Amino acid sequence: CKNEPIECDDNNKCTSDSCDKSTGQCEFVDESYLCNDDNACTIDSCDPADGCVNMPIDIEAECGVSDKCISYACDPVEGCTSTRTECPSDFCSLLLPCDPVLGCSTELRSCDDDNKCTVDTCDVVNEACVHTAVVCDDRSACTEDT
C-alpha cells in the first residue's frame, strides 16, 4: 500500500491548509489574526503572497495632527500620544504665544534707547542690551561733531 497525502496548498500565506481526514476535503482556515504584532503604532494585515505586513501608522493621519504647538508620537502600547511643544527663547528673542497653525515664533527684544549717538544691540550671552557710542568725528576742523 502506498498512501500519498492530498496536496492542500492554496498558495495563500494567510491561511493554514489541511485535509479533513473524514471527508478528504481541503480546508483553508484564515489565520490573518496571527499578524497582530500588539504594536499600536502599526497597521497589521496579511498579504496572501507575502504573509504578515505590519506597516507603521501615518502619525499625521492616525493621530489627528493639527496643532503645531503639540508634538505627536506613537507609543507601541498606548498608541497616539501628544505633548506640549517647548518653544525655545532667550534674552534677545521674546517668546510669543504658540499659534496652533504657525507654531512657535519669537519677537526680537528692542534695545533702542532712543539715542541717535549709540548703536543698540542685544547681547544673548550676557543677557543685556548694549549701547555703543557712535563716533561722529569726521576729522574736519570745519564741522562741529555731535
Side-chain angles (χ1 to χ4, degrees), residues 1-67:
C1 288
K2 194 173 188 184
N3 298 321
E4 291 290 324
I6 295 173
E7 181 69 33
C8 287
D9 186 358
D10 64 356
N11 292 316
N12 183 337
K13 291 188 177 183
C14 301
T15 62
S16 65
D17 307 334
S18 63
C19 180
D20 185 310
K21 290 181 181 180
S22 62
T23 65
Q25 297 293 310
C26 288
E27 294 178 336
F28 308 105
V29 179
D30 180 14
E31 291 190 343
S32 57
Y33 68 92
L34 295 174
C35 292
N36 183 352
D37 63 359
D38 291 322
N39 182 337
C41 301
T42 61
I43 297 171
D44 307 320
S45 63
C46 190
D47 180 273
D50 297 326
C52 290
V53 178
N54 308 101
M55 294 292 293
I57 66 167
D58 177 345
I59 291 177
E60 199 167 300
E62 296 293 323
C63 298
V65 175
S66 62
D67 188 331

Side-chain angles (χ1 to χ4, degrees), residues 5 18 22 25 41 50-51 63 69 85-86 88 101 105 110 116 124:
S18 63
S22 62
Q25 297 293 310
C41 301
D50 297 326
C63 298
C69 298
T85 300
E86 291 294 323
V101 175
S105 61
S110 174
K116 293 186 192 275
V124 175

Side-chain angles (χ1 to χ4, degrees), residues 48-117:
D50 297 326
C52 290
V53 178
N54 308 101
M55 294 292 293
I57 66 167
D58 177 345
I59 291 177
E60 199 167 300
E62 296 293 323
C63 298
V65 175
S66 62
D67 188 331
K68 295 208 183 227
C69 298
I70 296 176
S71 295
Y72 296 90
C74 189
D75 178 270
V77 174
E78 295 180 29
C80 292
T81 60
S82 61
T83 53
R84 195 85 22 236
T85 300
E86 291 294 323
C87 298
S89 67
D90 57 39
F91 180 79
C92 296
S93 300
L94 305 174
L95 186 61
L96 298 174
C98 189
D99 182 288
V101 175
L102 301 174
C104 296
S105 61
T106 57
E107 183 176 274
L108 294 178
R109 178 181 297 273
S110 174
C111 287
D112 188 358
D113 62 0
D114 291 323
N115 181 344
K116 293 186 192 275
C117 295

